[in-house]
Structures are given as C-alpha cells and as structure tokens.
Amino acid sequence: MKTALGQLADQVLFQNYGKRDIALVRGEGAYVYDDEGRRYLDFTAGIAVCNLGHAHPGVTEVIERQARTLVHVSNLFLIEGQVELAEKLTRLADRGTGPYRAMFVNTGTEANEGALKLARRYQYVSGHPEKTRVVALPNSFHGRTMGSLSVTSNPKYREGVTPLVPGFEVADTYEGAIDMLDDKTAACIVEVVQGEAGVRPVDKGLLQSLAARAKELGALLIVDEVQTGVGRTGRFFGFEHFDLSPDIITMAKGLGNGIPTGAILAKQHVADAFTPGMHGSTFGGNPFAMAVANYVVDVVRDPAFLDRVRRVGEALRRVLEANFDGVTGLGLMWGFDVDDASTWRKRAAERGLLVTACGPKRIRVVPPLIIDEQHVEEFETIVKKIGRA
Ligand SMILES: Cc1ncc(COP(=O)(O)O)c(C=O)c1O
C-alpha cells in the first residue's frame, strides 16, 4: 500500500529519481530510521557523503554554533573559514609538486564544470587558444549538467539532450584515451576509482601513462575526487594511491558531511587563469558550509582516522570476498556482483541494510567512515541471509 506521502510525491515532485518507498526521518552514527521506526544499517552514507555518520555530535555543534553566528554573506567579502579550509586542502593536495589554490562551490558537478572551464581558460591565457579538447575515460561519471555530462560516458544520460559540448570526448577504451590526447587537448579528466561504474579502481600504470602523455602535450590532468576524496579510499585523496600530481582536483560529497559543499583545487599557475570575474558561485564557500567543512577535514585528515578507515575497509573487503564475486574498490568504497541488483537491494532493506545499486548486477557499499568491525560483522550477518540472488 502506498503511503499518503508517496502518493503526493508522485504528483508534485519531478519523477527523475523513480519510485522511492522508504522515508528516512532520523539518523545516528551508522544507522538511519524510517517513518515507522525501523532501523537500518546505512551502507550508503547519503551516497558517500555522510563520512562522519549521521547526527555526529561535533558536526551538530558546529552547525548550531555557525547558524547562530553567520550563515551567508556572499563572496564580496573575505570569509575566514574559506582561507582556513583552503590552507588545509592545498597542503593536503601538495605532494611536492604544488602549490595549489582553492575555490569553493556547492556540488561535485559544479566543481567539475569549474574545472573544465578553468582548463580551457588556462590554455587560452597561456597562449594556446587552440587547446580546447577534453578527453575522459570510458565508464566515467562526472555529473549531469551539459559540460560534466559531455565527459560522462553513459549513453542513457545523454539521450535526447544532445548536442553536448563540442570538443569534450569520452574514450572507447582506457588505452585509447592516451592516444586521443593531442596538441589540441586542454585536459583529460579521470576518477581514480570509478564509483558510478561499479567502484572500479583504474589501472595505476594506465593513469600514470595518461598523466605523462598529458604533461608532454601541455594538457592538464583533472582528477575528480568528488567520491574518492575526504578519506573515502583510506587516504585523504584517492590519487595518493596512484602517485599522481593533478593540475586540478575537484571535491564535494564528503566535504560537508551533508551540508552542500564542493571545492576546486588547482596548481597556482593554473588557478591564476581565473582572473576576477571569470568564475564565481553565490553560495560557494559561505561561512556556514566552511565551518562544517573545516570541522570534517580536521577529523578526517588525522592519520589515525585514515589508518582506521584502511583497517575496517580491509575487514569489509574480506567479508565481501568470502561472499561475492567481482569485489573491487579501495578503503571504504566497494562494489560486488549479484544476480539482480534491484532485488538484492530490496532484500537488504527488508533485513535492515541500505546499499545502492550501480549497475543491473552490481551493488555499491559506501558506509560512513566511522564504522568499526562490529558494523562489518552486522553487515556480514545480513548479507549471508540474502546470498547472491
Ligand atoms: C565522481 C563523481 N563526480 C561527480 C559527481 C556529481 O556530484 P554531485 O551529484 O554532487 O553534483 C559524482 C556523483 O555521484 C561523482 O561520483
């Protein structure tokens, strides 16, 4: 039986998310509760967003304090929290080939749009207006606005909304991406672990060859850390596992633990291509979002926190490998094969476990980074009851 809320949702909301039959009303740590009081172990974390879990006391305190102090002023004014956060993030990104600068936005897509625009602009101000092409990897996901969609591979998302941005191309094969780079290329954009494509780490050697070829040609390397950033892979940035030195890094998801926040980091000489007026965002980097993001980053950048993510992530990997085929991922983002993802997801929810599907036969688990071995045991107990069907 459909609830009154579900029926009203069918009438008044866009139907772009399909049917949703669980209404979540409360959360605590790694658990969420629905409107009938049922408890779920949340291995979605708001799709890799609530890295510190739900209703985290520290996050809640910062939200309360900042809401009472100052929420928004616009980028006409200097915002202390932006400077603090930029200092932290640029230091974390700089692995000896920096320095970087930061600018703040609200979502992953917005960060990627900014990055793509910055790449073209950088080439233009560097005397290379002919370098306008952008090359993306197969199975990529960078967002659904016109620019980010143009570097997103799934043809389903493109149907009926073409023409997309000219010069933005998705390679057919991973090796092919390297050959596609040429002297007209402004940038290549990659995810180091392709989340939407099934949580698949990209081959390290391939990424390094791509980066080297891009450098040779004067093309920029954009690493989309929207899903992999902020500790998700067990390192602050996913690219640290792959020994890359991105020219531009995009972030969002985990940065605000649910308060919409994103960032574009770029090496200083690249960032300087955005001269005053060339780019902006009304809400981006407001004091409210910055207060929360500063708190989140302080917690996650602690080496002991990241060690724990790697340790619990290993425990989760062992459980998955004992129960499923096709287990891939890093840290606390994993994908695995099931017979039918939609059925599996429903069965899991019936048994008090939330996961996301990322393919017709593929499940993704991206739990809050604060889970411990006991949560992994609870997860195992449930998945053993479901099996692979
Ligand atoms: C790698 C990657 N890039 C970009 C995006 C888009 O981010 P947002 O939904 O915050 O715009 C996502 C979202 O899933 C993502 O996983």
Side-chain angles (χ1 to χ4, degrees), residues 3 5-6 9-10 13-23:
T3 63
L5 185 68
D10 288 353
L13 291 179
F14 274 34
Q15 296 298 298
N16 55 314
Y17 295 115
K19 298 274 176 268
R20 293 164 286 176
D21 31 59
I22 300 175

Side-chain angles (χ1 to χ4, degrees), residues 47 107-110 112 141-143 191 196 224 226-227 252-253:
I47 319 187
T107 68
T109 303
E110 191 188 353
N112 285 334
F141 184 89
H142 299 292
E191 300 153 86
E196 302 298 307
D224 177 340
V226 169
Q227 196 162 147
K253 287 195 183 275

Side-chain angles (χ1 to χ4, degrees), residues 17 47 107-110 112 116 136-145 147-158 170 174 189-200 202 222-228 250 253 358 364:
Y17 295 115
I47 319 187
T107 68
T109 303
E110 191 188 353
N112 285 334
L116 295 163
L137 294 179
N139 305 312
S140 56
F141 184 89
H142 299 292
R144 298 167 198 262
T145 53
S148 60
L149 180 61
S150 304
V151 285
T152 288
S153 68
N154 195 331
K156 216 172 66 187
Y157 300 154
R158 296 162 162 243
V170 179
Y174 290 88
I189 182 166
V190 303
E191 300 153 86
V192 291
V193 181
Q194 297 187 302
E196 302 298 307
V199 198
R200 300 182 195 278
V202 179
I222 305 172
V223 178
D224 177 340
E225 291 272 353
V226 169
Q227 196 162 147
T228 48
T250 57
K253 287 195 183 275
C358 54
R364 167 177 49 176

Side-chain angles (χ1 to χ4, degrees), residues 56-103:
H56 183 283
V59 174
T60 306
E61 197 199 312
V62 172
I63 287 176
E64 280 175 2
R65 188 177 348 116
Q66 195 60 42
R68 268 190 248 109
T69 311
L70 190 66
V71 170
H72 181 83
V73 291
S74 89
N75 284 301
L76 296 173
F77 304 96
L78 198 52
I79 295 168
E80 193 181 356
Q82 282 189 14
V83 183
E84 277 174 33
L85 185 61
E87 196 186 15
K88 289 172 199 169
L89 294 177
T90 55
R91 275 213 195 132
L92 286 161
D94 186 355
R95 313 194 62 72
T97 53
Y100 288 82
R101 291 186 189 277
M103 117 152 232

Side-chain angles (χ1 to χ4, degrees), residues 19-253:
K19 298 274 176 268
R20 293 164 286 176
D21 31 59
I22 300 175
L24 299 174
V25 294
R26 188 168 74 81
E28 196 179 345
Y31 297 95
V32 283
Y33 298 80
D34 71 13
D35 54 353
E36 289 171 353
R38 263 193 302 264
R39 188 176 93 147
Y40 302 87
L41 179 62
D42 182 12
F43 269 37
T44 70
I47 319 187
V49 167
C50 303
N51 285 1
L52 302 188
H54 301 280
H56 183 283
V59 174
T60 306
E61 197 199 312
V62 172
I63 287 176
E64 280 175 2
R65 188 177 348 116
Q66 195 60 42
R68 268 190 248 109
T69 311
L70 190 66
V71 170
H72 181 83
V73 291
S74 89
N75 284 301
L76 296 173
F77 304 96
L78 198 52
I79 295 168
E80 193 181 356
Q82 282 189 14
V83 183
E84 277 174 33
L85 185 61
E87 196 186 15
K88 289 172 199 169
L89 294 177
T90 55
R91 275 213 195 132
L92 286 161
D94 186 355
R95 313 194 62 72
T97 53
Y100 288 82
R101 291 186 189 277
M103 117 152 232
F104 297 102
V105 293
N106 302 282
T107 68
T109 303
E110 191 188 353
N112 285 334
E113 287 292 338
L116 295 163
K117 181 174 154 186
L118 178 62
R120 277 191 172 171
R121 172 78 183 168
Y122 166 76
Q123 300 293 1
Y124 175 84
V125 301
S126 306
H128 292 289
E130 76 288 358
K131 290 188 193 285
T132 57
R133 292 178 66 228
V134 175
V135 174
L137 294 179
N139 305 312
S140 56
F141 184 89
H142 299 292
R144 298 167 198 262
T145 53
M146 296 311 269
S148 60
L149 180 61
S150 304
V151 285
T152 288
S153 68
N154 195 331
K156 216 172 66 187
Y157 300 154
R158 296 162 162 243
E159 196 182 336
V161 294
T162 51
L164 296 176
V165 176
F168 285 18
E169 294 158 66
V170 179
D172 290 331
T173 64
Y174 290 88
E175 290 72 21
I178 301 174
D179 298 331
M180 277 170 70
L181 302 182
D182 64 10
D183 56 6
K184 302 264 188 328
T185 307
C188 54
I189 182 166
V190 303
E191 300 153 86
V192 291
V193 181
Q194 297 187 302
E196 302 298 307
V199 198
R200 300 182 195 278
V202 179
D203 181 76
K204 183 172 174 178
L206 184 121
L207 283 175
Q208 289 185 341
S209 304
L210 186 77
R213 181 72 184 134
K215 195 167 183 186
E216 230 171 64
L217 290 162
L220 301 179
L221 173 66
I222 305 172
V223 178
D224 177 340
E225 291 272 353
V226 169
Q227 196 162 147
T228 48
V230 200
R232 177 56 57 188
T233 67
R235 303 270 175 211
F236 191 84
F237 289 110
F239 71 76
E240 294 173 44
H241 297 272
F242 297 80
D243 296 332
L244 296 173
S245 169
D247 298 296
I248 307 178
I249 301 160
T250 57
M251 309 175 69
K253 287 195 183 275

